[in-house]
Amino acid sequence: MDHETSTGHVTRKAVLRAAFAAGIAAPAVLMGVPALARTLTEGEAAPALTPECDDGDDPTPPQTEGPYFKPSSPLRSSLVEPGTAGARLTVSGYVFGLACRPLAGVLLDFWQADTNGAYDNTGYRFRGHQFTDAQGAFRLATIVPGLYPGRTRHLHVKVQAPGRPVLTTQLYFPGEPRNNTDSIFDARLLMSVRDAGPAKEAAFDFVLNVPQGPGPSPTATATTPPPGGSWAAGTAYRAGDRVTYGGLAYVCLQAHTGQAGWEPPNVPALWRAG
């Protein structure tokens, strides 16, 4: 991610990304600097400012799911398989709460078209989910998606913090001619994109509607005694495993390790009642 805007100013999120990566606090003098969605390319007008990562921040805007979402995607951070065609793309970033503190254990479920603009609706090519690490970071290896009628180039994603609602949205590429004609396109969802040899590197930071106070990222804590059952935090579950929770039976849809906030009723992407 570039650390300067087209005006040469260091962006707030660039400072925060660098600080979190280094495990230090961001310099207070830079905490008032707004961030652009991405570095401008020549001839482009400045988009609206993205959320400023501070108290009272605005969450990342939602967008339509579209007709091609499929549940139960595989757990993986790379969608590239042997023989995959298309220009390689790496997307990285962080997930923040409303006080601009990183959120660990956030579920991100990505899906996209292949280089020809087609979605795999029978299998799981170019579909996969992952979780942010302890620093709130994610990294996706994929390809630049192709175009299809009516849409500009984009990635789909669902983002869910433990015990919180799902954010469904889309990510866009700067400089695409169809950005001007796509009725769904939102400039606030533009990634920062740069060339890396024949490949491309992109960055985007999500802000979720998760209240936060000063100090470390909040974690889900029980306010009432657990309702009972065989489900337990810290257990590694495989697809097809069965548990009980709160008097109901659930089937595991995707392999994961249980944690507070991911109780079966809270995460339909991971558990199905029945």
Side-chain angles (χ1 to χ4, degrees):
M1 180 177 181
D2 294 334
H3 287 195
E4 296 185 356
T5 67
S6 60
T7 60
H9 292 104
V10 177
T11 66
R12 170 195 295 273
K13 284 186 181 176
V15 173
L16 289 166
R17 289 163 62 85
F20 286 132
I24 59 176
V29 70
L30 294 174
M31 291 302 287
V33 181
L36 289 175
R38 42 61 175 171
T39 300
L40 301 179
T41 57
E42 186 176 356
E44 286 188 296
L49 291 180
T50 56
E52 279 190 12
C53 244
D54 59 8
D55 291 329
D57 197 3
D58 294 324
T60 300
Q63 289 217 309
T64 178
E65 176 183 283
Y68 302 118
F69 173 71
K70 287 179 60 176
S72 306
S73 69
L75 174 64
R76 58 185 177 183
S77 59
S78 176
L79 308 184
V80 178
E81 301 175 354
T84 295
R88 297 302 190 259
L89 169 69
T90 301
V91 182
S92 61
Y94 292 85
V95 180
F96 298 107
L98 294 180
C100 198
R101 301 202 64 83
L103 295 170
V106 174
L107 172 66
L108 298 103
D109 196 346
F110 292 95
W111 72 103
Q112 67 172 84
D114 65 17
T115 191
N116 297 314
Y119 288 83
D120 179 9
N121 295 317
T122 58
Y124 286 92
R125 288 185 304 111
F126 298 111
R127 300 176 184 271
H129 74 276
Q130 60 179 280
F131 297 89
T132 56
D133 64 16
Q135 287 72 48
F138 71 91
R139 184 178 180 87
L140 176 72
T142 183
I143 65 164
V144 176
L147 295 166
Y148 57 91
R151 291 304 316 277
T152 190
R153 213 178 300 275
H154 62 281
L155 305 172
H156 292 272
V157 60
K158 288 180 178 287
V159 190
Q160 185 180 24
R164 304 294 299 185
V166 177
L167 166 69
T168 300
T169 193
Q170 301 182 33
L171 301 180
Y172 296 99
F173 294 76
E176 288 289 329
R178 290 194 189 178
N179 287 351
N180 297 322
T181 59
D182 189 326
S183 62
I184 300 176
F185 171 77
D186 188 333
R188 294 173 296 175
L189 296 168
L190 281 164
M191 298 181 288
S192 298
V193 181
R194 67 180 182 183
D195 293 328
K200 292 186 179 295
E201 295 178 347
F204 190 88
D205 297 329
F206 296 93
V207 178
L208 298 185
N209 188 15
V210 176
Q212 294 176 309
S217 299
T219 56
T221 56
T223 56
T224 58
S230 62
W231 182 89
T235 302
Y237 292 105
R238 299 170 298 177
D241 285 351
R242 293 181 174 274
V243 300
T244 56
Y245 186 88
L248 296 177
Y250 293 88
V251 178
C252 180
L253 299 177
Q254 304 182 86
H256 67 285
T257 298
Q259 59 178 299
W262 293 118
E263 294 84 356
N266 297 334
V267 278
L270 301 178
W271 296 98
R272 183 186 72 239

